[in-house]
Amino acid sequence: MKCVIFLLCALLANVVYSETVVDELEDAKLLVAKNVLNNYIVEGLNLTIKYTVHNIGSSPALNVKLQDENFPAEYFEYASGFSVAQWARIPPKSNVDHVVIVSPKMPGMFNLTSAVVTYLPSEKASKVQTGYSTELGEVYIQRLSDYNRRYASQTLNWILFIIIASPSILIPFFLWKSSTNKYQKSKKAKKSN
């Protein structure tokens, strides 16, 4: 008898659990990835941030709003894109991208936290879901002069070096050549006498 009651309780628990799992899988689930596409973050140069929103659920996500307040106007200048992106609908098992290009105004350490995404998980849902993207943590924004010294092309510097160094090489060469020519002429003149 105890065995039958235990089996009925286990069967009832399994049915309740499977219904909640099915309900969870029927709703939209959004995963948001935030990535920096640049190798180096430099003041005054463009910084490209890419947001990828994946819907891994079985229903479309509705009224999706991605908002990132990590780039205040006193520290960054927007070159392209917006801090808020909206989509009316993201189909199930698909993804959308949003790209923002900003330019840092000053060097130093800066904390890039996660973006916030809000959405309705299904057409019958009335409660708004809130999610967060991956965060980048603290990043170092390099000075432009340090970046140029380390990574920029040094072609102009080499051209200037050659122009400045050429007189110190060419003047002794021409003096040597002219004295050699004079010596050769005087040697030929002595032989002919």
Side-chain angles (χ1 to χ4, degrees):
M1 184 68 176
K2 288 182 182 181
C3 186
V4 172
I5 292 174
F6 177 73
L7 287 174
L8 286 175
C9 288
L11 181 64
L12 181 63
N14 187 22
V15 169
V16 170
Y17 176 74
S18 64
E19 285 180 7
T20 58
V21 169
V22 169
D23 288 343
E24 286 180 12
L25 292 176
E26 286 179 2
D27 289 344
K29 299 285 185 210
L30 296 184
L31 300 176
V32 182
K34 177 181 180 179
N35 296 312
V36 173
L37 300 182
N38 299 53
N39 290 331
Y40 304 103
I41 301 174
V42 183
E43 78 170 309
L45 297 182
N46 287 343
L47 169 63
T48 306
I49 309 290
K50 180 181 179 182
Y51 303 92
T52 304
V53 182
H54 300 275
N55 183 359
I56 61 170
S58 298
S59 68
L62 305 169
N63 299 331
V64 180
K65 181 179 180 182
L66 175 73
Q67 188 169 3
D68 193 356
E69 299 298 330
N70 280 298
F71 305 107
E74 60 266 10
Y75 299 112
F76 293 91
E77 180 180 334
Y78 277 88
S80 178
F82 300 101
S83 63
V84 177
Q86 295 182 340
W87 297 274
R89 177 182 181 95
I90 298 177
K93 310 292 186 221
S94 65
N95 64 322
V96 293
D97 292 329
H98 177 66
V99 177
V100 174
I101 300 174
V102 295
S103 177
K105 291 182 179 179
M106 58 183 76
M109 295 299 289
F110 199 81
N111 191 15
L112 295 178
T113 59
S114 56
V116 178
V117 63
T118 56
Y119 63 97
L120 290 173
S122 66
E123 293 176 350
K124 58 187 173 190
S126 60
K127 184 180 175 189
V128 175
Q129 290 280 110
T130 301
Y132 299 93
S133 72
T134 55
E135 68 178 53
L136 303 171
E138 285 195 357
V139 295
Y140 179 68
I141 301 172
Q142 296 184 47
R143 288 189 184 333
L144 183 60
S145 59
D146 294 342
Y147 175 79
N148 284 338
R149 182 177 49 234
R150 185 175 289 163
Y151 300 109
S153 173
Q154 302 296 327
T155 306
L156 181 62
N157 292 342
W158 280 107
I159 291 172
L160 288 174
F161 173 75
I162 290 170
I163 290 171
I164 292 170
S166 61
S168 64
I169 295 170
L170 294 176
I171 291 173
F173 173 74
F174 287 125
L175 290 173
W176 171 78
K177 190 70 171 166
S178 68
S179 93
T180 305
N181 287 341
K182 286 180 187 176
Y183 178 72
Q184 293 292 334
K185 287 180 186 177
S186 67
K187 196 174 182 182
K188 285 182 185 178
K190 284 184 182 179
K191 279 187 179 180
S192 61
N193 286 339

